[in-house]
Amino acid sequence: MKINSIRSIRRTELSKAAFEAVVQFGLRGTTLDRVGDIAGVSKGVVLHHFKDKSNLLEAVFRRSNSILSESVVELYRYAESSHERLWCVIIANFASVIFNKRVCQAWVSLISEVPHNKQCQRIQIACNARIQSNLTYSLKNFLGNQDAKDAARHLGTLIDGIWVRSGLLVDPVDSSRAISEIQFAVSKIIPNGAISQEKHIIAREKIESIASIVLGSRAFQEKLLKVISK
Amino acid sequence: MKINSIRSIRRTELSKAAFEAVVQFGLRGTTLDRVGDIAGVSKGVVLHHFKDKSNLLEAVFRRSNSILSESVVELYRYAESSHERLWCVIIANFASVIFNKRVCQAWVSLISEVPHNKQCQRIQIACNARIQSNLTYSLKNFLGNQDAKDAARHLGTLIDGIWVRSGLLVDPVDSSRAISEIQFAVSKIIPNGAISQEKHIIAREKIESIASIVLGSRAFQEKLLKVISK
DNA sequence: ATAAAGGCTTACCAGTAGAAAGTTTTTTGT
DNA sequence: ACAAAAAACTTTCTACTGGTAAGCCTTTAT
């Protein structure tokens, strides 16, 4: 880690710069020169640290997904019941540090790299599988095995749908609106008998308030950096 | 129309070629040269008919969305009840002529153009609004006004989610699986009392079988061409 | 028949990805 | 402490890309 430190620092800086370029100029407008400009180095440096543009974009993609995964892990530490664990996964996906216009639009731009990039596919599949398994695990407390799986798949797809729409449509991205859309789905999926709505809302609100503090904190950001620069 | 016919024919040919390029090489691999090659003309022709690359991609985007909208309209002609009308919208989105790996991946590639292209945004918004209003209209037969709106939004988002996942993940795209995911959502959304599951399944199957015949037919394809080349 | 217009090609320019070779700085072995 | 090796960075070069502009050829209108 000591040996690679400069390299990994540069890789982190450059993928941040690349992300910024995607935010500002879209995927088609993101050139190596611009990425270099934003990072304050020459284009050559970019290609010195990443073998090519696909490799760079892949790093950006991995970065965004890591932030998401780590957020779930972090929130899990504070969860004390299965409802709370369920809401950890959901809130992590829609906490405003993560879920906002810039990021959603960048994500929509980035995913166009996936179909023709095996590595990105791998990342996406892993990330999806993890979210789904987290959801399934929590849902098994309220539903039978097969129902829990179906419901987890359903919620996962819905999360992707909300992300895509937030990136595509012009209306402002709104965390609480996104969450209440999920709440709508959850309330339909989990039969009223299994668990009272109130308990769910309490769990959601607890995790939501933890998320707004924890995910935005300096400590968490620094923790992330270590994970991300791998 | 006679005067412009060559122009509109070329525009259709070229957007088909561009679509094919996106399918084969992804958005980043889609160059004007390649589009020209596929269409069997020089790059200059492409720019003669489209003012720039954005304009071309926009046409491709409009084309795909038109096919979707027109499919809904076409299926509507055969619907005889509100259940059937509800399923028209859904089945049109997942009929195998439209919903397959090539198209899903191309769609995922194409939408990265949306955040930085006002015209594409306009198209996307219009298309979404139409689907949503169709869904809302049908759902009002089973739910109250506000519930119908929420449910329509939910289903619309879910449809987008399924599309995105089908384009992103490697597992094969499967119409019937997609439809059964929607069926899952519909069965949760519409209270059992309002309408029996059986009636729904019958409606779905009727529209599904009509779709497999009608949407793939020569007549429909020709009808589409007229609409698409505008 | 000839002028006008639209369809198409070619030649060109300013970027753009990426390879390669060269230079500086840092790390490491002794 | 210092030379050798490795890594960080720069510069240069090439093939290709999007986009412009000038020009040629075919069709149509008069």
Side-chain angles (χ1 to χ4, degrees):
Chain A
M1 195 55 177
K2 211 194 300 167
I3 287 176
N4 294 352
S5 72
I6 289 184
R7 185 171 189 89
S8 73
I9 289 170
R10 284 284 173 285
R11 284 178 67 99
T12 310
E13 286 173 354
L14 289 170
S15 31
K16 271 188 187 177
F19 179 82
E20 190 55 33
V22 173
V23 167
Q24 279 181 39
F25 310 106
L27 186 71
R28 265 197 321 120
T30 296
T31 68
L32 296 179
D33 264 319
R34 282 218 246 251
V35 173
D37 277 355
I38 293 174
V41 295
S42 75
K43 179 187 73 168
V45 180
V46 182
L47 285 162
H48 176 67
H49 292 285
F50 295 93
K51 90 175 210 295
D52 59 18
K53 199 179 176 180
S54 295
N55 195 235
L56 172 63
L57 291 174
E58 184 191 310
V60 179
F61 194 65
R62 173 180 290 117
R63 224 184 109 78
S64 341
N65 282 338
S66 294
I67 290 175
L68 209 66
S69 295
E70 286 306 311
S71 302
V72 177
V73 172
E74 186 65 15
L75 290 184
Y76 251 69
R77 294 180 44 206
Y78 301 89
E80 290 168 312
S81 69
S82 16
H83 330 74
E84 289 175 13
R85 266 185 292 278
L86 171 61
W87 283 104
C88 282
V89 185
I90 296 167
I91 304 291
N93 270 277
F94 298 110
S96 39
V97 239
I98 289 167
F99 183 72
N100 56 64
K101 195 100 215 156
R102 282 165 49 91
V103 180
C104 289
Q105 291 198 342
W107 183 73
V108 165
S109 296
L110 276 175
I111 56 173
S112 87
E113 190 66 13
V114 179
H116 289 266
N117 183 327
K118 273 267 173 282
Q119 201 58 23
C120 282
Q121 269 169 34
R122 229 183 43 76
I123 297 168
Q124 179 64 27
I125 288 167
C127 189
N128 260 36
R130 174 178 255 161
I131 288 180
Q132 195 135 327
S133 109
N134 284 337
L135 286 173
T136 309
Y137 181 78
S138 308
L139 287 168
K140 277 185 180 162
N141 289 284
F142 312 113
L143 299 168
N145 270 10
Q146 188 53 48
D147 273 359
K149 276 188 192 171
D150 288 348
R153 189 187 174 88
H154 175 78
L155 287 181
T157 308
L158 193 61
I159 290 172
D160 283 353
I162 293 177
W163 270 80
V164 140
R165 291 205 159 187
S166 305
L168 289 182
L169 303 182
V170 282
D171 24 84
V173 169
D174 179 352
S175 277
S176 59
R177 173 154 203 184
I179 291 169
S180 65
E181 277 174 43
I182 301 278
Q183 177 95 59
F184 175 87
V186 170
S187 73
K188 302 289 178 188
I189 284 172
I190 298 179
N192 280 341
I195 182 72
S196 76
Q197 285 307 307
E198 270 166 37
K199 277 200 181 174
H200 256 298
I201 289 173
I202 290 167
R204 173 168 81 74
E205 283 173 356
K206 174 183 163 190
I207 299 299
E208 204 168 338
S209 71
I210 289 173
S212 75
I213 298 165
V214 172
L215 298 188
S217 78
R218 183 116 195 78
F220 176 65
Q221 306 291 341
E222 274 161 14
K223 196 171 187 177
L224 265 189
L225 268 190
K226 285 179 200 155
V227 180
I228 288 163
S229 55
K230 82 159 169 108
Chain B
M1 192 56 178
K2 210 194 302 169
I3 287 176
N4 292 352
S5 72
I6 290 186
R7 187 170 189 89
S8 75
I9 288 170
R10 284 283 171 284
R11 283 179 68 99
T12 309
E13 285 173 354
L14 289 170
S15 32
K16 272 189 184 178
F19 179 84
E20 190 56 33
V22 173
V23 167
Q24 279 181 38
F25 309 106
L27 186 72
R28 253 181 350 105
T30 296
T31 67
L32 296 180
D33 262 322
R34 282 219 245 251
V35 174
D37 276 358
I38 294 174
V41 295
S42 75
K43 179 186 75 168
V45 180
V46 182
L47 286 162
H48 177 67
H49 291 285
F50 294 94
K51 93 175 209 293
D52 59 17
K53 199 179 175 180
S54 295
N55 195 234
L56 172 62
L57 292 174
E58 186 190 309
V60 179
F61 194 66
R62 173 179 291 117
R63 225 184 106 77
S64 340
N65 283 339
S66 295
I67 290 176
L68 210 66
S69 296
E70 287 305 312
S71 301
V72 176
V73 172
E74 185 65 16
L75 291 184
Y76 252 70
R77 295 179 41 205
Y78 300 90
E80 290 168 312
S81 69
S82 15
H83 331 75
E84 289 176 11
R85 266 186 291 280
L86 171 60
W87 285 103
C88 283
V89 185
I90 297 167
I91 304 290
N93 270 277
F94 297 110
S96 38
V97 238
I98 289 167
F99 182 72
N100 56 65
K101 195 99 216 157
R102 284 164 48 91
V103 179
C104 288
Q105 292 198 343
W107 183 72
V108 165
S109 296
L110 276 175
I111 57 174
S112 87
E113 187 68 12
V114 178
H116 289 266
N117 183 326
K118 274 269 174 280
Q119 201 58 23
C120 281
Q121 270 171 32
R122 228 183 44 76
I123 296 169
Q124 179 65 25
I125 288 167
C127 188
N128 261 35
R130 175 179 254 163
I131 288 180
Q132 196 136 326
S133 109
N134 283 337
L135 286 171
T136 309
Y137 179 78
S138 307
L139 287 167
K140 276 185 179 162
N141 289 284
F142 313 112
L143 300 168
N145 270 11
Q146 187 55 47
D147 273 358
K149 275 189 192 169
D150 287 348
R153 188 187 174 90
H154 176 78
L155 288 181
T157 308
L158 194 61
I159 290 172
D160 283 353
I162 293 176
W163 270 80
V164 137
R165 291 205 159 189
S166 305
L168 289 182
L169 304 181
V170 281
D171 22 272
V173 169
D174 180 352
S175 277
S176 59
R177 174 157 203 179
I179 291 169
S180 65
E181 277 175 43
I182 302 277
Q183 176 94 60
F184 175 88
V186 170
S187 72
K188 304 287 178 189
I189 284 172
I190 298 180
N192 280 341
I195 182 71
S196 76
Q197 284 307 307
E198 271 165 38
K199 276 200 182 173
H200 255 298
I201 290 174
I202 290 168
R204 173 167 79 74
E205 284 172 355
K206 173 183 164 188
I207 299 299
E208 204 170 341
S209 70
I210 288 173
S212 73
I213 299 166
V214 171
L215 298 188
S217 78
R218 185 112 196 83
F220 177 63
Q221 307 291 340
E222 275 161 14
K223 197 170 187 178
L224 266 186
L225 269 188
K226 285 179 199 152
V227 179
I228 288 162
S229 54
K230 80 160 170 121

